Amino acid sequence: MAPRMPDRRLGWTPLHERYDTAVPTTTPDRLVHAAEPGAPLVEPPVLERVLAAALARGGDMAEVFVEDRQTTGAALDDRRIEELSSGRERGAGIRVIVGDTTGFAHTADLSESGLRAAAEAASAVARRGGGGVRTVALATRQPAPPRALVLPSSVPKARKLELLARADDAARSAGREITQVMAGYGDSRRRVQIASSDGVLAEDDQVRTRYSVSCIASGDTGMQTGFESVARTAGFELFDDLDVADVAQVAARRALAKLSARPAPSGELPVVLAGGSGGILFHEACGHGLEADHIVKDASVYVGRIGEQVASPLVTLVDDGTVAGEWGNYGVDDEGHPAARNVLIENGVLTDYLWDYLRARKEGRRSSGNGRRQSYQHLPMVRMTNTFLLAGQEDPDELVAQTPRGVYVAKLGGGQVNTTTGDFVFGTTEAYLIENGRITEPLRDANLIGNGPEVLRRVDAVATDFGMTPGTCGKDGQSVPVGCGQATLRITGVTVGGTAA
Amino acid sequence: MSELLDLAVKVVEAAGPGEGIEAYVARGHDTDVRAYNGQVESLASASSAGVGIRVVLAGRPGAAARHGAGAGAGAGAGAGDGAGAGADAGEGNRVGFAWAGSLDPAVVEATLKEARDNATFATPDPHVVLAEPDGVVPVELDLWHPHFADATTDEKVELALALERQVRGADRRIRQVDSADYGDGSVEVAIASTTGIRATTRRTTAYLSVSAIAGEGADSQTGSGFTVGRALADLDPDRAAADAVERAVRMLGARKARSGRSTVVFDPRVVSTVLSVVAGALSGEAVVKGRSFFAERVGETVAAEPVTLVDDPTDRRAFSAARYDAEGLATRRNVLIEGGVLRGFVFDTVAARRYGTASTGSAVRGGYAGTPGAGCRAVQLAPGDLDQEAILAAVGDGLYVQSITGVHSGVNPVSGDFSVGAEGLLLRDGALAEPVREVTVASTLQRMLQSLLHIGSDVEWLPGVAAGVTLAVGDMQLSGS
């Protein structure tokens, strides 16, 4: 509700202590019953009538996106459970497409009259005529069960809060220098329903659960921070195999290590990224640049390069929304298209871009299932899901041993890219110097900067130890959950932005 | 407007004995037009509304939180905060929060019920209280222009289309305009509480923004421009267009620069971003929680002598000016750094009590779905005497930075470590020279404040919490080839 400002930045943030996106909940009993795929959010015959109304003045396509989101968020900070927060939001976004123009309106009123009013507003772009009576026949409803074994809403709040207190104890026991601990728990359930005049009728029930710990260590050199998070498209079963004390200790260890860190070096150096350290490199170096909305506007360094060698032969990059449990997983995208596994770069050769409905239609092809939106109040656009580099053959330790001098990045923070120039940055939150093939001193946080196509060509070794990391991807002011993954890999040269000469 | 306050008051009047309630009700309306390639790419128009409710349950001696984690999170809680504000440490209040994206009475009632339930789980804390009216009278600010967007949809569409045309036609090297946007919006907020808060605020905004791509041969570079105001009539499309074109075109041919120590001159837009991080470290909440490098340094010299930093949301020139803070207290002018000496922090009610002081009217929140915290709204550096050109001349050799990237990944407001990607132009003999890209500039925020060489006279109020101004900072590390 704040005054909206232009924000066209593309970037990734790790799941932050203060979760940016809405962390909405509701009365537990209601959710338990919703566990079986039950009533649709809006009855299909209503959707058919609303779609027909949306096209009454003309238009090529109309779509209703209905969303019901419930969230819980809790934070422990400064040794206190400070904030248990519940939220609920439901509404519908309606778009009408006429040629290259999209009309959009949204409403929190899911009654037929509320939806008709939004349809009317969205169809304003089609007022130049060509209308008439249209009938819309939707496909048969395919109810979707929740993507979770244990719905977080069925779990007592007290159990969720216990997880936070354990983090505080575990982190503080890691060292006397740990002076502050913040732990965050969040769950969300997002039911969506999409209907379009093309006959699409799809549903999904996305359940996400996250847990994060952020620590501060204080010493003679000042304060340092450490962060770790676990986040899955799953319910409370996330904690069956997860000891939250481990998460806290990882965060504490990162903060403690940096107390004795020296300034990061400055200039171009070989860089080894640990397996599962973030994978953000590919998200920024090429992921955004392969989104078709940038491609069709000639705003990407990867325009017109399909079939070309754009990366080292060791690079096979996949975006896969179907990987169950990963943070960027879903059943159907926010345009009703099934999530898919899309190979973008194969052995270094660019094979495809990522597509949503609008851009695919323009090119006469199918959406790749990458049309996503932050909420019903937003228009969909091309977004990544879980983007990862396939593992290679090398032994990760050997890879370090074969690097005489460089930087070893154990954990990455966020990043940002300019798709037009291909220049991107990504930050370290745990990094070390490599000297004579050995990991030695810890380094203070710094950004690294590179150019996408150049850095992709400089990947000269990929190991076997694959790992994924959850994060939040921001684009044009909208945030969505995504995953990133990679095994340990080496880049022969990247500019490290430290302060040491 | 009054209907929003009525709704908030109605929620508050449902309070039971020993229960404090604060209701924050907001409603907004936005219109957004995006032009591309001479056509309307999208046209969106929509309203939204919602409520956020905080419930504070008064403590009873020995009362424990309902969750079973008292040993770790509860029992030790008293130890950390000696700065009691007169409250009995054996007693504490508990706060719970819930929100909903609807003003439907049944939904609002369910939200209150949920907030009440959530409160029973919080760790008791004597400092947790709702804001109380403190007698400070809010300034009169002209933030609501009733005719702010008195134009037809066609006229708004034409503004976006015209901006795109203007940028495309401004220079033969402009190869693409990847978006040209017009937007306007209004937001109204009402806050009421059982402690007697009754506040209403409303504001209107309008903007135009454009993103351009310049190209020559295989080289492509980007630049953006924008103009903001409280009404459509305030907008200056020529300025937005000229900015986007100049910034994109002058970057053509950019290369990496050589690594080394350098004086860096930051463009006002960049400074606004960097100051917003500094402002975060001046939040009393960050200070009381041991997350600010400014903690325990009040009275010490933390910056070069010319640095006077004030947060003044009552300044009508500030785009982010506001009459009330997010707890319904009047905003006021707060001096943070004066002549290089740290004078104080900004506080909301809870952080202030923890620190042993009173709220500075500086509660902020991210709309109805967020809870209040302490933060700056309108930070500005006291301007110097030199305009940008004079600063460039005075610096002589260095790097002029027109945009930065990776602020969220490379600027750590706790440690102060600063490392960002930068684009700009080399500065040689006091004049702008070759364009530079794919470099980083690094230091620490602490050192940058001390190494500040010049503050410009060119204060520019931008969207965000800090005003922009040209700044020259000495002794930064540039990393490139």
Side-chain angles (χ1 to χ4, degrees), chain A residues 77 79 101 157 297 423 495, chain B residues 73 118 176 256 291 437:
Chain A
D77 194 6
R79 296 184 188 264
T101 300
K157 290 173 180 173
K297 289 188 169 181
D423 289 349
T495 300
Chain B
N118 286 348
Q176 178 73 281
K256 266 186 154 174
R291 271 199 278 275
R437 52 161 272 268

Side-chain angles (χ1 to χ4, degrees), chain A residues 4 8 12-13 77 79-81 86 88 101-102 104 157 180 216 266 297 418 423 444 447 495 497, chain B residues 32 40-41 43 73 81 99 101 117-118 123 176 178-179 222 256 289 291 408-409 417 419 437 479:
Chain A
R4 285 169 28 78
R8 303 225 65 212
W12 154 292
T13 36
D77 194 6
R79 296 184 188 264
R80 286 177 286 265
I81 298 291
S86 311
R88 175 150 198 178
T101 300
T102 299
F104 182 68
K157 290 173 180 173
Q180 191 58 282
I216 292 176
S266 157
K297 289 188 169 181
N418 178 333
D423 289 349
R444 295 181 72 128
N447 262 321
T495 300
Chain B
D32 293 280
V40 179
E41 180 177 317
L43 169 61
D81 17 84
W99 63 271
D117 186 55
N118 286 348
T123 305
Q176 178 73 281
D178 59 337
S179 66
T222 59
K256 266 186 154 174
K289 290 179 175 170
R291 271 199 278 275
H408 63 302
S409 59
D417 285 333
S419 165
R437 52 161 272 268
S479 297

Side-chain angles (χ1 to χ4, degrees), chain A residues 85-139:
Chain A
S85 151
S86 311
R88 175 150 198 178
E89 199 152 38
R90 52 190 295 168
I94 297 181
R95 58 177 173 155
V96 173
I97 297 170
V98 189
D100 287 331
T101 300
T102 299
F104 182 68
H106 60 79
T107 176
D109 180 358
L110 293 184
S111 70
E112 183 163 353
S113 61
L115 292 169
R116 276 176 178 273
E120 167 93 357
S123 70
V125 290
R127 71 205 133 163
R128 284 175 185 92
V133 179
R134 291 272 284 268
T135 54
V136 174
L138 294 175

Side-chain angles (χ1 to χ4, degrees), chain B residues 61-136:
Chain B
R66 222 166 83 189
H67 71 87
D81 17 84
D88 176 356
E91 195 174 327
N93 301 325
R94 292 166 295 157
V95 63
F97 179 71
W99 63 271
S102 165
L103 299 184
D104 179 88
V107 173
V108 174
E109 199 181 312
T111 306
L112 173 60
K113 184 167 167 256
E114 190 68 19
R116 279 178 169 144
D117 186 55
N118 286 348
T120 64
F121 293 92
T123 305
D125 181 345
H127 301 306
V128 167
V129 295
L130 296 174
E132 288 188 28
D134 60 4
V136 178

Side-chain angles (χ1 to χ4, degrees), chain A residues 126-484:
Chain A
R127 71 205 133 163
R128 284 175 185 92
V133 179
R134 291 272 284 268
T135 54
V136 174
L138 294 175
T140 312
R141 181 175 173 236
Q142 306 275 342
R147 304 186 157 265
L149 296 175
V150 181
L151 280 182
S153 54
S154 69
V155 176
K157 290 173 180 173
R159 271 194 69 198
K160 300 175 181 177
L161 296 172
E162 277 166 28
L163 297 168
L164 299 178
R166 283 171 56 202
D168 194 71
D169 291 343
R172 288 179 195 272
S173 70
R176 275 186 309 111
E177 297 89 348
I178 296 294
T179 51
Q180 191 58 282
V181 179
M182 183 163 177
Y185 165 88
D187 59 56
S188 73
R189 181 174 184 190
R190 179 182 189 243
R191 294 181 64 204
V192 299
Q193 181 187 32
I194 304 102
S196 86
S197 57
D198 293 343
V200 170
L201 179 63
E203 294 179 18
D204 204 9
D205 191 341
Q206 298 157 6
V207 179
R208 290 191 169 89
T209 305
R210 66 179 172 87
Y211 183 83
S212 64
V213 180
S214 161
C215 293
I216 292 176
S218 304
D220 299 340
T221 53
M223 290 183 287
Q224 287 292 343
T225 53
F227 178 72
E228 175 67 355
S229 68
V230 177
R232 305 275 293 166
T233 299
F236 206 74
E237 70 273 15
L238 171 71
F239 299 101
D240 290 351
D241 312 315
L242 176 73
D243 186 347
V244 296
D246 294 344
V247 179
Q249 281 174 348
V250 169
R253 189 176 49 70
R254 287 196 175 121
L256 290 169
K258 279 190 282 186
L259 282 183
S260 57
R262 57 191 243 179
S266 157
E268 202 167 293
L269 282 170
V271 171
V272 175
L273 301 181
S277 60
I280 172 121
L281 172 73
F282 296 96
H283 181 96
E284 306 295 357
C286 59
H288 279 298
L290 298 179
E291 293 164 344
D293 43 358
H294 301 303
I295 298 295
V296 300
K297 289 188 169 181
D298 201 12
S300 165
V301 278
Y302 298 99
V303 169
R305 303 197 61 188
I306 296 286
E308 285 182 27
Q309 190 86 29
V310 296
S312 145
L314 298 172
V315 172
T316 293
L317 186 76
V318 175
D319 181 87
D320 190 349
T322 70
V323 193
E326 288 304 339
W327 193 232
N329 167 243
Y330 45 77
V332 296
D333 71 5
D334 299 327
E335 301 179 305
H337 297 100
R341 175 187 164 91
N342 297 295
V343 178
L344 304 173
I345 297 176
E346 195 164 12
N347 302 322
V349 177
L350 182 61
T351 51
D352 203 358
Y353 304 120
L354 292 167
W355 301 87
D356 65 357
Y357 168 83
L358 214 54
R359 283 75 189 189
R361 187 184 72 141
K362 219 174 160 67
E363 300 293 315
R365 53 168 293 160
R366 285 177 63 83
S367 162
S368 59
N370 291 86
R372 304 181 67 183
R373 49 183 130 200
Q374 180 175 310
S375 81
Y376 75 87
Q377 300 186 8
H378 298 86
L379 274 167
M381 57 182 148
V382 189
R383 304 304 293 262
M384 285 176 260
T385 61
N386 305 296
T387 312
F388 48 88
L389 181 81
L390 295 191
Q393 308 287 328
E394 307 274 335
D395 175 85
D397 296 335
E398 267 303 299
L399 208 156
V400 173
Q402 292 160 3
T403 308
R405 181 176 147 72
V407 169
Y408 180 82
V409 182
K411 196 70 188 175
L412 287 163
Q416 194 178 336
V417 63
N418 178 333
T419 56
T420 302
T421 62
D423 289 349
F424 69 101
V425 292
F426 55 108
T428 67
T429 59
E430 184 187 2
Y432 303 84
L433 216 50
I434 301 176
E435 293 169 298
N436 302 317
R438 285 179 43 244
I439 293 170
T440 60
E441 290 184 74
L443 299 173
R444 295 181 72 128
D445 294 350
N447 262 321
L448 282 74
I449 191 162
N451 183 266
E454 263 171 50
V455 167
L456 294 182
R457 277 194 293 273
R458 292 181 184 180
V459 175
D460 79 335
V462 181
T464 52
D465 56 339
F466 181 83
M468 293 285 298
T469 308
T472 302
C473 173
K475 177 176 175 181
D476 213 355
Q478 293 192 45
S479 296
V480 297
V482 294
C484 272

